[in-house]
């Protein structure tokens, strides 16, 4: 499930209109629609605003958001699995410092 699909599902479960959520986020309804459809990537601040507007756990929503960003960056790379392994090693090294 993509970030956009995830937030659309939550919004619809809560029976909130696109314009209601967009208004709470201070963004245009068309922009939120594009984020939900996956034709536009939300910025981190927008993902955080979505968490607040949808009354969702911010960290959980940011995990979905970040995962989509990584997938978008690596989707056309033939060696994406190897890249992710290197990233994991680097993160582990950084967290030990």
């Amino acid at each position: 499930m993509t970030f956009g699909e995830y937030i659309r599902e939550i919004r619809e479960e809560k029976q909130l209109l696109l314009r209601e959520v967009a208004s709470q986020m201070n963004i245009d309804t068309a922009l939120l629609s594009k984020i939900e459809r996956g034709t536009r990537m939300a910025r981190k601040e927008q993902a955080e605003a979505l968490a607040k507007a949808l009354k969702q756990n911010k960290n959980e929503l940011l995990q979905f958001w970040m995962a989509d960003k990584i997938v978008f960056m690596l989707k056309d790379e033939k060696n994406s699995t190897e890249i992710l392994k290197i990233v994991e090693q680097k993160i582990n090294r950084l967290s030990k410092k």
Side-chain angles (χ1 to χ4, degrees), residues 61-76:
L61 207 67
L62 286 175
Q63 287 174 6
F64 268 92
W65 172 78
M66 182 59 73
D68 264 19
K69 283 188 68 142
I70 294 168
V71 167
F72 181 77
M73 288 173 46
L74 296 178
K75 67 181 172 136
D76 296 324

Side-chain angles (χ1 to χ4, degrees), residues 34-59:
K34 289 176 184 177
I35 292 170
E36 284 190 354
R37 287 183 281 126
T39 59
R40 178 88 181 256
M41 180 67 71
R43 293 191 325 267
K44 185 176 184 181
E45 302 81 31
Q46 292 167 333
E48 290 171 341
L50 271 164
K52 185 176 180 182
L54 297 173
K55 296 179 175 68
Q56 295 296 300
N57 179 291
K58 183 173 87 171
N59 291 331

Side-chain angles (χ1 to χ4, degrees), residues 70-96:
I70 294 168
V71 167
F72 181 77
M73 288 173 46
L74 296 178
K75 67 181 172 136
D76 296 324
E77 298 295 327
K78 291 184 168 104
N79 56 348
S80 58
T81 303
E82 291 79 17
I83 293 169
L84 287 172
K85 287 177 187 175
I86 293 168
V87 169
E88 183 179 26
Q89 291 169 356
K90 287 183 177 191
I91 289 171
N92 287 336
R93 272 189 245 128
L94 288 172
S95 64
K96 290 179 183 176

